[in-house]
Structures are given as structure tokens and as C-alpha cells.
């Protein structure tokens, strides 16, 4: 039952992540740059989560461990989003959807190497099926140039950073600190990094921030999503560990594609349904008991 509960939460998380990506698309159509949108949403959501933690009585003395954890998770959050924003404009959504399926296998391999989990055939098969599903999903999309260039190789940093983040958050989890506090500190510590990239890379960054606060509807929706999503994110990570949380990317991609089909009426070919089947099968196989299927003793 615990596995079913975790998987249900992962579907909710994947849906929220897909919704947050859609908010970025809608905001961009109104002339807002993704980085300015990310900075304002992260800061406001972080402040609200910190206030929520105080109101609920979750207080903890500052320590070097807590500050280190907040700084590293904030850096990973900012780096992942910044890379994704730049890469998707260079190589397209299709290629990025493939990359979002790789953190599952990378996180699993790293967790074995660090002794956080044991190797098993069911986990190997399950993660492999999810990767195949991600590849099929990219083939069903109609975007992306498919050309190999420098950005193609830079894009491979995204699944590596995500996998390292999954491992780090579990390995260095501060004791006696509530997930709401960790979500708040991650978002707030990501803001200086995002702000530096925004100021250096956009001469009109002041105008962009003005536009965001003069048209606050998209930011308000994104902040609401962030508050719920990252509270749940850290809760699920603590409950399930680093590998299960890595399923969120491919689930979010599938949810986004399914939403486009159901709501926007986009055509879905057989390849999309095949990818959906592979991902579901991969998650099911990964969740099977590991008895008598160990690869190593």
C-alpha cells in the first residue's frame, strides 16, 4: 500500500510540474521572460512557505549543515531551471523530454554506488522501460531540430544535475527539519543565482520585473503551484528516497502531452500511446518486490 500511495503522490507531483511548465509558456506569450518569472515566483513562494513553517511552529536553529543543505539544493534548483530554459530554445522540447527520463537510471546507479540501495533486476528493467518510454515520447513530438551541436551536449548536464540533486537531498537530509522549511530555503537560496544570470544576460531585466508585477496573474498562479508542489516534493523524497522522486520528470512530460491531447485537441499517434505504456510498465516493474532477483549480493 505504501508503494501505491507514493506512486499516487508522484502522479500529483508530475501534474503540478506539468502545470508549472504551462504557466511559463503562458507568461512568455504575454512578454515575460522565463528567468524573471522564475525569480519572482521562487522568491514569493519561498517567503510564503517560510511564513507557513513559522505559523505551524516549525522552527529550527540555524546550523552550518542546514545552511549548506539550503545553498546546495538552491543551487541545483536554479541550475536545472536555467539550463532547461536555455537548452529548450536551442534543441527543442523533443530532445529535452528524452533527457527527463534519464535521471531515473542515473539516480538508481548512483544510489547503488553509494550504498543507498541494492541492485536488482526489477529495478534495472523498470528504469530501462521508463527510458525507452521517454525516447518514444520524444519521437511522438513534432518539435526540435534534431541537429547535434554544442547545446546538445550541454543538455546532458540536466539529467546529471537532477540525479545528483536527488542523491544529495536524501544523503544530506538535515534531521529535525520539516520538509516545508527545506522547500522554503531551497527556493529562497536559488534566487541570488537566478538574479545574477538574469541581470548579466538581460539588459532589460528591470523592465521584465516591472512587467511581472504589473501583470501578476501568472505569477500568482505559479506561486500557488510552487507552494503545493515543493511541500509535497520534499515530503515524497523523505518518504520514498531518491530513486522514486526521479520519476517525476517523465510523468510530468506524459501529463503535459496528455493534456495537450485531451484539452487542446492535438493529435496523438500510436507512438505516444506506446510511450505511455512503457512508462506505466516501467513504474510497475520497478515497484515489484526484489526477492530472488538480486543482481549482487
Amino acid at each position: 500500500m505504501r508503494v501505491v500511495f507514493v506512486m499516487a503522490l508522484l502522479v500529483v507531483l508530475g501534474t503540478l510540474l506539468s502545470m508549472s511548465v504551462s504557466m511559463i509558456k503562458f507568461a512568455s506569450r504575454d512578454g515575460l521572460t522565463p528567468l524573471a518569472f522564475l525569480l519572482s515566483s521562487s522568491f514569493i513562494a519561498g517567503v510564503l512557505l517560510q511564513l507557513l513553517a513559522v505559523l505551524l511552529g516549525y522552527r529550527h536553529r540555524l546550523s552550518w549543515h542546514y545552511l549548506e543543505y539550503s545553498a546546495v539544493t538552491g543551487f541545483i534548483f536554479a541550475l536545472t531551471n536555467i539550463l532547461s530554459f536555455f537548452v529548450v530554445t536551442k534543441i527543442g522540447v523533443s530532445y529535452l523530454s528524452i533527457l527527463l527520463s534519464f535521471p531515473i537510471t542515473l539516480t538508481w546507479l548512483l544510489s547503488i554506488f553509494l550504498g543507498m540501495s541494492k541492485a536488482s533486476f526489477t529495478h534495472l528493467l523498470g528504469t530501462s522501460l521508463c527510458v525507452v518510454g521517454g525516447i518514444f515520447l520524444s519521437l511522438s513530438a513534432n518539435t526540435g531540430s534534431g541537429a547535434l551541436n554544442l547545446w546538445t551536449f550541454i543538455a546532458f548536464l540536466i539529467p546529471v544535475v537532477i540525479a545528483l540533486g536527488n542523491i544529495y537531498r536524501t544523503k544530506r537530509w538535515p534531521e529535525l527539519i520539516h520538509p516545508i522549511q527545506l522547500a522554503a530555503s531551497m527556493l529562497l537560496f536559488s534566487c541570488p543565482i537566478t538574479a545574477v544570470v538574469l541581470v548579466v544576460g538581460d539588459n532589460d531585466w528591470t523592465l521584465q520585473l516591472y512587467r511581472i508585477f504589473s501583470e501578476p496573474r501568472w505569477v500568482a498562479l505559479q506561486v500557488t503551484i510552487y507552494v503545493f508542489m515543493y511541500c509535497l516534493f520534499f515530503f515524497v523524497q523523505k518518504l520514498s528516497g531518491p530513486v522514486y522522486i526521479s520519476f517525476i520528470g517523465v510523468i510530468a512530460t506524459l501529463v503535459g502531452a496528455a493534456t495537450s491531447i485531451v484539452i487542446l485537441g492535438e493529435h496523438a499517434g500510436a507512438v505516444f500511446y506506446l510511450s505511455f505504456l512503457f512508462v506505466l510498465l516501467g513504474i510497475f516493474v520497478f515497484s515489484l518486490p526484489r526477492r530472488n532477483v538480486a543482481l549482487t549480493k
Side-chain angles (χ1 to χ4, degrees):
M1 287 299 295
R2 181 176 178 177
V3 170
V4 175
F5 178 62
V6 169
M7 286 303 172
L9 293 178
L10 287 175
V11 172
V12 174
L13 267 176
T15 302
L16 289 171
L17 179 57
S18 178
M19 290 170 62
S20 73
V21 173
S22 298
M23 290 301 105
I24 295 171
K25 293 178 182 177
F26 294 140
S28 297
R29 291 175 184 174
D30 279 357
L32 305 179
T33 60
L35 284 181
F37 189 64
L38 172 66
L39 174 60
S40 55
S41 301
S42 299
F43 179 75
I44 298 172
V47 171
L48 291 177
L49 283 170
Q50 191 61 56
L51 290 174
L52 178 62
V54 172
L55 290 174
L56 294 176
Y58 300 128
R59 300 181 183 182
H60 187 81
R61 291 181 59 186
L62 288 179
S63 64
W64 286 114
H65 184 192
Y66 184 26
L67 290 174
E68 172 222 303
Y69 190 89
S70 302
V72 173
T73 56
F75 173 77
I76 290 172
F77 174 81
L79 182 60
T80 303
N81 282 283
I82 291 168
L83 281 174
S84 298
F85 291 153
F86 282 111
V87 162
V88 75
T89 61
K90 303 295 182 180
I91 63 174
V93 176
S94 302
Y95 196 83
L96 188 60
S97 67
I98 298 178
L99 298 177
L100 289 177
S101 64
F102 288 160
I104 302 170
T105 302
L106 291 176
T107 304
W108 177 64
L109 291 174
L110 282 172
S111 68
I112 294 172
F113 178 75
L114 295 173
M116 300 170 68
S117 61
K118 295 181 180 179
S120 73
F121 177 73
T122 52
H123 282 185
L124 174 62
L125 181 59
T127 55
S128 300
L129 287 170
C130 285
V131 171
V132 172
I135 294 173
F136 275 127
L137 183 62
S138 72
L139 295 176
S140 70
N142 295 317
T143 55
S145 63
L148 289 176
N149 52 41
L150 178 62
W151 283 102
T152 305
F153 298 102
I154 293 176
F156 274 101
L157 290 173
I158 295 175
V160 174
V161 172
I162 292 174
L164 290 173
N166 293 336
I167 294 295
Y168 177 84
R169 284 190 300 272
T170 296
K171 195 75 172 175
R172 295 288 294 162
W173 188 284
E175 295 294 332
L176 305 178
I177 299 183
H178 196 273
I180 293 178
Q181 294 173 283
L182 298 179
S185 62
M186 179 192 74
L187 290 171
L188 291 174
F189 272 75
S190 72
C191 291
I193 301 166
T194 308
V196 169
V197 177
L198 174 64
V199 171
V200 172
D202 191 343
N203 294 327
D204 297 328
W205 63 271
T206 53
L207 177 61
Q208 289 298 328
L209 292 177
Y210 172 77
R211 284 179 179 175
I212 282 175
F213 290 104
S214 62
E215 292 284 343
R217 52 177 178 165
W218 299 123
V219 173
L221 289 171
Q222 186 76 313
V223 166
T224 303
I225 293 171
Y226 272 12
V227 167
F228 284 101
M229 180 168 67
Y230 288 110
C231 278
L232 187 59
F233 180 88
F234 277 90
F235 174 76
V236 173
Q237 172 119 29
K238 186 176 184 180
L239 181 67
S240 64
V243 181
Y244 276 101
I245 203 73
S246 62
F247 283 94
I248 294 174
V250 70
I251 292 174
T253 307
L254 279 175
V255 170
T259 301
S260 299
I261 294 167
V262 175
I263 298 179
L264 302 180
E266 293 185 4
H267 174 70
V271 177
F272 169 78
Y273 295 106
L274 189 61
S275 70
F276 190 79
L277 177 63
F278 267 97
V279 171
L280 288 181
L281 185 61
I283 294 174
F284 172 76
V285 171
F286 187 88
S287 304
L288 291 175
R290 294 180 297 171
R291 293 190 297 269
N292 300 324
V293 289
L295 295 175
T296 61
K297 295 183 179 180

